[in-house]
Amino acid sequence: MQKVIFTGIEYHITTMNKAEDSMTDDLEVKKIIEPQLNILLTTDEDDDRPVYISGNFNNWVTQDKKFEMEKVGQGLYHFKFESDFVYPEELLYKFTRGDWSEVEIDKYGNRTENRSCKQHNGVRKEHVAKWRHNWLPFKSKFLPKVHLISEEFEIPQLNKTRRVWALLPHDYDKSTETYPVLYLQDAQNLFNEKAKYGNWEIDKKLAVMAEYKIGKIIIVAVEHAEKERIKEYNVGNTVLGNGQGKKYIRFLTETLKPFIDSNFRTKPDREYTGIGGSSMGGLVSIFSGIMYPEIFGKLMIFSPSLWVVPKIKLSFLDTDEPQDTRIYLYAGGDESATMIDHVKQFKKRLLKKDGYADKMKVRLSINMEGKHNEVFWSDEFPKAIEWLYFSTKDE
């Protein structure tokens, strides 16, 4: 018999064979010293990520430190509500590993309904069979409709053509809704299973979000220029030479966006329009937002190549009345020696501009283990989408 003791409650845990009943039934409460509600959670899948309780008592906020559970054993977690906690009439909650991309699911990989509790003291035993990881697994019926807009979409500003795609909500054809839009660079690496370096799996991530009734959005994905990708995404005269970025951005704003708004059910206003990308695609997206703040109200910037222009000019933002803008900045700690410093400095400079501290909401996400590749950008994508388009949280 294994004995686990922690503040307020003493438990005896008897180890059982896996073939026997769930570990939930292995817990025998010997003594409860305090009358608060104690939640005891067991899980079949355990790792080093913390477990949080999110519910109607904290506006369903994830990573709320006040509701982080204490790990007291392998697959065993405990939480005790404070003595002055004000209980709602019915306590509704879920367990997560830190956000909704890591929420609990059942043993078959299905979403679970909210848990419900009306007791205010004693011990409540709960069990989680599995956890989502990076929003997966997904259900095919929720996959977005992948629509090839054109094999040779004309880019008159560059005298070129390009493949352009649209990912439409899974029920687009059955509804009359209008949708926000996100323009993304490097379409080859967003949902292509044969991509050389892997892909972001945005189709799968959007499918899971749709299952949770969030994330209804149109993604417009523009393929890069292959060998001329860097030149096309390079704005102005930089350490990489003279780029074509300004012409490319004019294509996005003057040619592509009007076409999309005319042919799809979009919400065309800036507050519903975003742009994003990674690496050089992230850099050209920054310039798009800086040069055309009247068009793009949301920026999704992953691992931007700020080393190309470390002192990026923000003079384009000198407008009389700054408008509300959301910027999601991500950087990995294992990308380069300067990546994190660059994005932190960029955020600092943005918020230092007169009048922008209150108008510009910047969320900086850093993964110290993150590398410069699609795997980590894929992990960040749904988190960025949720915060940019479907969350009221500023940071």
Side-chain angles (χ1 to χ4, degrees):
M1 179 176 286
Q2 177 189 5
K3 189 176 182 181
V4 179
I5 301 176
F6 50 94
T7 306
I9 301 176
E10 180 178 295
Y11 295 102
H12 287 274
I13 303 173
T14 304
T15 302
M16 298 177 68
N17 187 289
K18 289 184 178 180
E20 298 184 70
D21 290 337
S22 165
M23 190 175 176
T24 307
D25 298 323
D26 302 342
L27 306 172
E28 176 190 350
V29 179
K30 178 181 178 183
K31 184 179 181 183
I32 299 180
I33 299 173
E34 298 181 28
Q36 295 97 307
L37 174 62
N38 291 264
I39 294 182
L40 194 64
L41 172 69
T42 56
T43 179
D44 295 333
E45 291 186 346
D46 203 16
D47 54 45
D48 294 332
R49 294 172 295 169
V51 174
Y52 300 86
I53 306 175
S54 302
N56 60 347
F57 49 85
N58 72 338
N59 293 318
W60 297 95
V61 173
T62 57
Q63 293 192 40
D64 188 336
K65 289 292 185 181
K66 292 184 294 185
F67 296 98
E68 180 178 351
M69 303 192 78
E70 179 186 7
K71 186 169 186 176
V72 294
Q74 185 64 32
L76 177 62
Y77 295 81
H78 166 255
F79 181 81
K80 179 173 67 175
F81 287 90
E82 297 290 339
S83 58
D84 60 352
F85 178 78
V86 179
Y87 294 89
E89 181 177 347
E90 180 182 16
L91 197 70
L92 300 176
Y93 57 99
K94 270 191 169 76
F95 300 105
T96 82
R97 286 287 193 181
D99 63 47
W100 297 114
S101 68
E102 318 287 334
V103 71
E104 59 173 290
I105 52 179
D106 70 18
K107 63 181 180 180
Y108 302 108
N110 299 312
R111 61 166 293 186
T112 59
E113 297 302 322
N114 293 334
R115 297 173 184 267
S116 172
C117 173
K118 292 186 176 181
Q119 70 185 89
H120 296 173
N121 53 38
V123 175
R124 185 173 181 84
K125 302 174 185 179
E126 301 280 26
H127 183 75
V128 170
K130 290 185 177 181
W131 304 87
R132 285 202 188 278
H133 181 68
N134 193 14
W135 286 99
L136 301 177
F138 70 96
K139 287 189 173 64
S140 58
K141 68 179 181 179
F142 291 107
L143 283 169
K145 297 182 179 298
V146 179
H147 174 71
L148 177 60
I149 295 175
S150 175
E151 285 274 2
E152 297 181 327
F153 198 102
E154 291 190 9
I155 307 179
Q157 294 83 355
L158 293 169
N159 194 27
K160 298 177 182 178
T161 62
R162 192 70 42 78
R163 278 202 294 188
V164 178
W165 305 79
L167 277 69
L168 307 173
H170 70 98
D171 57 354
Y172 183 88
D173 294 336
K174 299 177 182 178
S175 78
T176 58
E177 291 182 65
T178 56
Y179 304 95
V181 182
L182 175 65
Y183 293 83
L184 286 180
Q185 322 312 320
D186 294 317
Q188 292 97 323
N189 302 327
L190 298 180
F191 54 90
N192 179 9
E193 295 291 345
K194 297 180 181 179
K196 183 177 181 181
Y197 301 106
N199 75 89
W200 292 23
E201 297 185 313
I202 66 172
D203 52 341
K204 299 173 184 176
K205 304 303 169 58
L206 289 170
V208 178
M209 296 179 78
E211 186 180 354
Y212 282 86
K213 295 180 170 48
I214 59 173
K216 283 197 171 185
I217 186 171
I218 293 175
I219 304 290
V220 177
V222 184
E223 294 200 353
H224 61 66
E226 300 292 351
K227 293 181 180 179
E228 294 189 339
R229 173 180 178 271
I230 292 179
K231 184 177 182 181
E232 198 169 276
Y233 288 169
N234 185 28
V235 180
N237 191 9
T238 71
V239 297
L240 296 176
N242 195 19
Q244 299 177 329
K246 291 183 180 179
K247 293 181 179 179
Y248 175 75
I249 293 170
R250 284 178 49 216
F251 157 67
L252 295 175
T253 56
E254 298 173 6
T255 304
L256 183 58
K257 185 179 186 300
F259 176 88
I260 296 298
D261 290 336
S262 297
N263 289 274
F264 297 92
R265 296 196 309 274
T266 68
K267 294 181 176 179
D269 296 342
R270 70 176 299 278
E271 63 187 292
Y272 303 109
T273 305
I275 189 167
S278 61
S279 195
M280 286 297 293
L283 184 65
V284 77
S285 297
I286 288 176
F287 274 104
S288 299
I290 290 175
M291 294 170 63
Y292 293 92
E294 73 279 12
I295 291 179
F296 300 111
K298 303 179 188 298
L299 279 65
M300 178 188 291
I301 311 299
F302 294 170
S303 309
S305 300
L306 288 167
W307 60 272
V308 175
V309 277
K311 294 186 178 180
I312 187 170
K313 292 182 180 179
L314 303 179
S315 56
F316 293 105
L317 287 173
D318 289 333
T319 56
D320 294 334
E321 295 185 11
Q323 301 183 68
D324 290 333
T325 299
R326 285 194 161 220
I327 302 177
Y328 191 101
L329 270 176
Y330 164 78
D334 198 17
E335 295 193 50
S336 72
T338 58
M339 176 62 75
I340 291 178
D341 288 340
H342 275 313
V343 294
K344 285 184 175 179
Q345 184 63 26
F346 177 63
K347 176 183 177 180
K348 182 178 179 180
R349 292 184 63 213
L350 278 174
L351 298 180
K352 279 181 65 175
K353 287 188 65 65
D354 291 341
Y356 279 84
D358 294 331
K359 291 291 186 177
M360 194 163 288
K361 309 303 180 187
V362 183
R363 181 164 190 173
L364 178 57
S365 174
I366 294 176
N367 179 355
M368 292 308 298
E369 306 300 319
K371 301 181 186 298
H372 196 78
N373 62 40
E374 281 71 17
V375 171
F376 292 94
W377 299 328
S378 172
D379 184 45
E380 209 66 26
F381 172 75
K383 303 172 188 177
I385 284 283
E386 183 179 10
W387 184 80
L388 285 170
Y389 288 89
F390 306 105
S391 172
T392 58
K393 293 183 291 183
D394 289 341
E395 299 220 30

